[in-house]
């Protein structure tokens, strides 16, 4: 099956316009592709994965494009460790909306791209908002990508013709989109801005959840206070660690309802635990029941530290300025045809106004575009006014 071309797809499927992609399911063929990827200037990549029944995402397929070639790599049939050489080689790795794919690749082969170009991020700097890949391909090429079924089982083998056609289409246009978007970015003088954001995404890599923060993802737990909150924090941390150990979704280990119920009832015995709503019988006996009670005891008498985040307090006198500045930033972004969230979020504005030294608007292109202007506004050196057409204008104030 190695190097199988799409015209010999399983089940006699017709691969139509995407003929020519390779199906890779042995190490020798994969090794040859890795060697080729280490020699090219850029290659495109996408992944298909599932995480509905596991804690960590299950990689089900890797799609690659380079020069005029495409390949679908079966991760169940090859050793993925050598692929790190391609990711960390000289080529620019082109992806679309890469954050989850980066996590998957880091887990699969312990590596992140040396240099990333994210077509979704790049599009946000040249008037395309943050589009889906299908929308971007249609905009630039007038092509409608095959529609995928969000319930497709990528773990089954063999993959059907429609699945493979859809998977190959996800990398078909990535390299061309990079060229087109780079040209538009250079024309507007924003290539460095986009590349800087791609680097931020790349460097962020895999998001590693801290078990002690897991309780904050439970809506009902965030309203708890005092010892009750501390117990919720302890029980949720146990659940997170247990889910990682078993590679199961946290809800399979212990429900949100059970975490909150245990925190509120503070059981001391297995019999107490059994009577709590949301606690299954299997959770109230043996090692699991003992572990839950131990987590309760660990939280008993404790207080919860403040959640990780900004440590500043925004001056009450400046709070009205946040909405006004946000409106101006939104208008400026529309005028410049840049996705507003890429320029500044409300949290960015609050951090700047509060004097946070790590504020995103104090460095790089954002400082020049909006950060310095906001500082001048707050310091009284500039003012916002309506121009008579409903638009906000930042004007210099006459000095005394």
């Amino acid at each position: 099956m190695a190097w199988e071309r799409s015209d010999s797809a399983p089940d006699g499927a017709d691969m139509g316009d995407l003929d020519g992609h390779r199906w890779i399911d042995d190490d020798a063929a994969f090794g040859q592709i890795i060697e080729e990827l280490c020699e090219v200037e850029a290659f495109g990549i996408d992944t298909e994965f599932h995480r509905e029944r596991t804690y960590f995402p299950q990689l089900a397929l890797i799609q690659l494009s380079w020069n005029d070639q495409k390949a679908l790599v079966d991760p169940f049939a090859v050793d993925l460790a050598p692929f790190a050489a391609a990711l960390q080689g000289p080529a620019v790795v082109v992806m679309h909306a890469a954050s989850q794919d980066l996590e998957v690749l880091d887990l699969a082969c312990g590596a992140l791209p040396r240099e990333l170009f994210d077509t979704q991020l790049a599009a946000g700097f040249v008037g395309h908002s943050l589009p889906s890949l299908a929308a971007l391909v249609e905009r630039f090429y007038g092509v409608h990508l095959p529609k995928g079924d969000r319930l497709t089982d990528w773990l089954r083998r063999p993959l059907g013709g429609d699945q493979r056609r859809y998977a190959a289409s996800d990398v078909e246009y990535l390299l061309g989109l990079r060229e087109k978007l780079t040209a538009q970015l250079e024309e507007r003088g924003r290539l460095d801005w986009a590349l800087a954001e791609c680097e931020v995404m790349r460097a962020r890599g895999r998001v590693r959840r801290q078990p002690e923060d897991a309780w904050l993802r439970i809506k009902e737990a965030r309203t708890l206070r005092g010892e009750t909150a501390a117990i919720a924090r302890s029980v949720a941390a146990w659940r997170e660690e247990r889910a990682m150990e078993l590679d199961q979704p946290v809800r399979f280990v212990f429900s949100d309802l059970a975490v909150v119920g245990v925190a509120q009832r503070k059981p001391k015995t297995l019999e107490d635990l059994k009577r709590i709503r949301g606690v299954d019988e299997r959770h109230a006996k043996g090692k699991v029941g003992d572990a839950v009670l131990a987590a309760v005891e660990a939280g008993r008498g404790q207080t919860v530290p403040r959640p990780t985040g900004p440590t500043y307090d925004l001056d009450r006198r400046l709070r009205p300025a946040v909405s006004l500045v946000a409106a101006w930033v939104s208008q400026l972004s529309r005028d410049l045809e840049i996705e507003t969230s890429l320029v500044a979020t409300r949290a960015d504005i609050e951090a700047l106004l509060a004097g946070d030294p790590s504020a995103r608007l104090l460095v790089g292109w954002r400082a020049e575009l909006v950060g310095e202007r906001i500082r001048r506004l707050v310091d009284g050196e500039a003012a916002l006014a309506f121009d008579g057409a409903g638009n906000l204008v930042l004007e210099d104030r006459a000095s005394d």
Side-chain angles (χ1 to χ4, degrees):
M1 284 287 289
W3 300 91
E4 177 197 347
R5 292 190 177 275
S6 58
D7 52 8
S8 57
D11 306 326
D14 178 12
M15 299 306 292
D17 295 336
L18 291 175
D19 283 348
H21 78 251
R22 310 174 194 173
W23 176 260
I24 307 300
D25 62 359
D26 72 50
D27 289 329
F30 191 35
Q32 292 178 39
I33 286 182
I34 291 171
E35 289 181 6
E36 292 184 41
L37 297 181
C38 288
E39 298 295 328
V40 299
E41 187 268 337
F43 65 87
I45 183 171
D46 188 38
T47 67
E48 303 296 344
F49 58 90
H50 290 273
R51 66 190 319 161
E52 292 84 2
R53 303 187 66 82
T54 58
Y55 183 88
F56 299 104
Q58 290 181 282
L59 178 59
L61 191 67
I62 296 177
Q63 304 101 286
L64 298 167
S65 62
W66 70 103
N67 295 334
D68 60 349
Q69 301 185 66
K70 301 185 295 295
L72 305 182
V73 180
D74 185 352
F76 305 134
V78 302
D79 179 9
L80 293 175
F83 188 56
L87 290 174
Q88 298 181 331
V92 176
V93 178
V94 185
M95 307 174 78
H96 184 88
S99 58
Q100 292 191 75
D101 298 295
L102 291 174
E103 176 187 7
V104 171
L105 291 171
D106 190 24
L107 283 167
C109 54
L112 294 169
R114 180 190 60 84
E115 184 176 350
L116 171 69
F117 186 95
D118 188 291
T119 53
Q120 185 182 66
L121 276 180
F125 284 96
V126 286
H128 301 296
S129 187
L130 294 175
S132 66
L133 178 62
L136 207 54
V137 169
E138 183 175 357
R139 192 169 299 168
F140 278 101
Y141 291 95
V143 172
H144 296 277
L145 291 181
K147 290 186 177 181
D149 182 353
R150 67 183 183 87
L151 299 179
T152 288
D153 182 2
W154 292 104
L155 299 174
R156 80 175 181 88
R157 294 294 184 270
L159 294 178
D162 287 343
Q163 288 177 296
R164 289 171 52 162
R165 182 186 299 111
Y166 172 79
S169 74
D170 277 346
V171 293
E172 173 82 0
Y173 296 94
L174 285 178
L175 298 181
L177 287 172
R178 177 200 173 213
E179 292 181 0
K180 292 177 181 295
L181 289 168
T182 295
Q184 290 191 357
L185 288 164
E186 288 178 331
E187 182 180 347
R188 301 190 187 204
R190 299 173 188 170
L191 180 58
D192 288 344
W193 300 2
L195 294 181
E197 287 308 293
C198 289
E199 172 57 19
V200 169
M201 174 180 283
R202 187 206 68 81
R204 191 180 299 129
R206 174 155 51 110
V207 176
R208 291 170 172 81
R209 292 181 174 179
Q210 299 301 318
E212 58 269 24
D213 293 333
W215 73 287
L216 295 171
R217 296 193 293 274
I218 304 174
K219 181 179 178 182
E220 293 80 4
R222 292 198 296 267
T223 61
L224 302 179
R225 296 291 182 269
E227 182 184 74
T228 303
I231 293 175
R233 180 176 185 263
S234 181
V235 174
W238 163 80
R239 179 179 73 163
E240 196 80 13
E241 292 169 346
R242 178 75 172 166
M244 286 189 279
E245 177 187 349
L246 299 176
D247 193 17
Q248 292 182 348
V250 293
R251 68 182 184 279
F252 286 14
V253 175
F254 212 57
S255 69
D256 287 356
L257 179 62
V259 172
V260 175
V262 167
Q264 292 174 330
R265 299 288 295 275
K266 307 172 187 177
K268 293 184 177 181
T269 68
L270 292 178
E271 286 300 317
D272 293 339
L273 189 58
K274 288 178 182 178
R275 289 193 287 269
I276 296 175
R277 183 180 177 188
V279 177
D280 296 339
E281 184 177 347
R282 61 190 173 94
H283 298 141
K285 61 184 180 180
K287 292 182 179 180
V288 173
D290 291 340
V292 174
L293 292 178
V296 173
E297 288 306 309
R300 202 182 297 275
Q302 302 295 314
T303 57
V304 177
R306 292 183 62 181
T308 302
T311 58
Y312 55 78
D313 290 316
L314 182 61
D315 189 317
R316 183 173 298 179
R317 293 171 298 177
L318 289 176
R319 289 176 185 172
V322 175
S323 296
L324 185 62
V325 171
W328 171 71
V329 168
S330 179
Q331 177 185 292
L332 178 67
S333 300
R334 289 195 302 272
D335 293 343
L336 296 177
E337 295 186 310
I338 304 177
E339 166 62 26
T340 302
S341 63
L342 292 175
V343 177
T345 64
R346 189 178 184 90
D348 290 330
I349 296 169
E350 290 178 351
L352 180 67
L353 294 179
D356 181 4
S358 64
R360 201 166 63 143
L361 302 185
L362 288 175
V363 295
W365 61 272
R366 290 187 181 86
E368 181 180 350
L369 185 64
V370 294
E372 176 60 18
R373 298 185 192 182
I374 295 173
R375 182 202 63 77
R376 293 178 59 247
L377 176 67
V378 174
D379 289 349
E381 300 172 11
L384 283 172
F386 286 103
D387 64 359
N391 300 313
L392 284 169
V393 179
L394 189 67
E395 300 175 333
D396 291 332
R397 293 187 65 182
S399 57
D400 294 335

